[in-house]
Amino acid sequence: QVHLVESGGGSVQAGGSLRLSCATSGYLSSTYRMGWFRQAPGKEREGVAAIYPLRGSTYYADSVKGRFAISRDNGKNTLDLQMNSLKPEDTAIYYCAAVPYEYGGTWFDERTYNYWGQGTQVTVSS
């Protein structure tokens, strides 16, 4: 069984930065795809970023390109999301997710992933 636990959320003013971390426990192979999603009040959950195994290819939603950076440390079993130049519209609950690479699916589709964390709140004030 895989467990994902997010941390690092909080409140920050617009233009500030936060770093989210996702700690994994249980069996989580380095061949798993991992991603960050977020859900704002009244909105559907959306893909923010993902990182693929092997070559470490990364993918970002257009709304966060150039501001957010996803990274993983297979030795420490952690997934991070560095968020810079935060905007009020980035306010949401952020979730990390994982799925074995061979399962297929698109990185930004939540149905692709079968392991989820409980989420961490990020609030950006103007």
Side-chain angles (χ1 to χ4, degrees):
Q1 186 68 26
V2 173
H3 295 282
L4 308 176
V5 179
E6 303 93 339
S7 62
S11 297
V12 65
Q13 290 192 327
S17 298
L18 283 173
R19 187 176 184 89
L20 304 183
S21 186
C22 176
T24 69
S25 61
Y27 178 75
L28 187 69
S29 167
S30 59
T31 61
Y32 275 51
R33 283 184 288 169
M34 299 195 72
W36 286 97
F37 284 74
R38 67 185 181 187
Q39 187 167 21
K43 295 187 177 181
E44 294 184 352
R45 189 153 51 183
E46 63 174 355
V48 174
I51 186 165
Y52 278 36
L54 304 179
R55 288 183 292 179
S57 300
T58 56
Y59 302 87
Y60 297 93
D62 288 344
S63 58
V64 306
K65 279 181 182 176
R67 300 189 298 122
F68 290 11
I70 188 172
S71 60
R72 68 190 293 174
D73 186 327
N74 292 327
K76 295 181 179 179
N77 291 329
T78 57
L79 175 75
D80 289 343
L81 184 69
Q82 178 66 43
M83 305 186 295
N84 299 324
S85 302
L86 283 162
K87 304 175 181 180
E89 51 263 43
D90 294 319
T91 295
I93 299 174
Y94 283 71
Y95 302 88
C96 68
V99 65
Y101 179 76
E102 62 270 20
Y103 277 26
T106 54
W107 74 264
F108 50 84
D109 188 341
E110 63 175 319
R111 296 171 296 180
T112 295
Y113 300 83
N114 55 353
Y115 296 109
W116 292 86
Q118 83 291 346
T120 185
Q121 177 71 47
V122 171
T123 302
V124 184
S125 59
S126 57

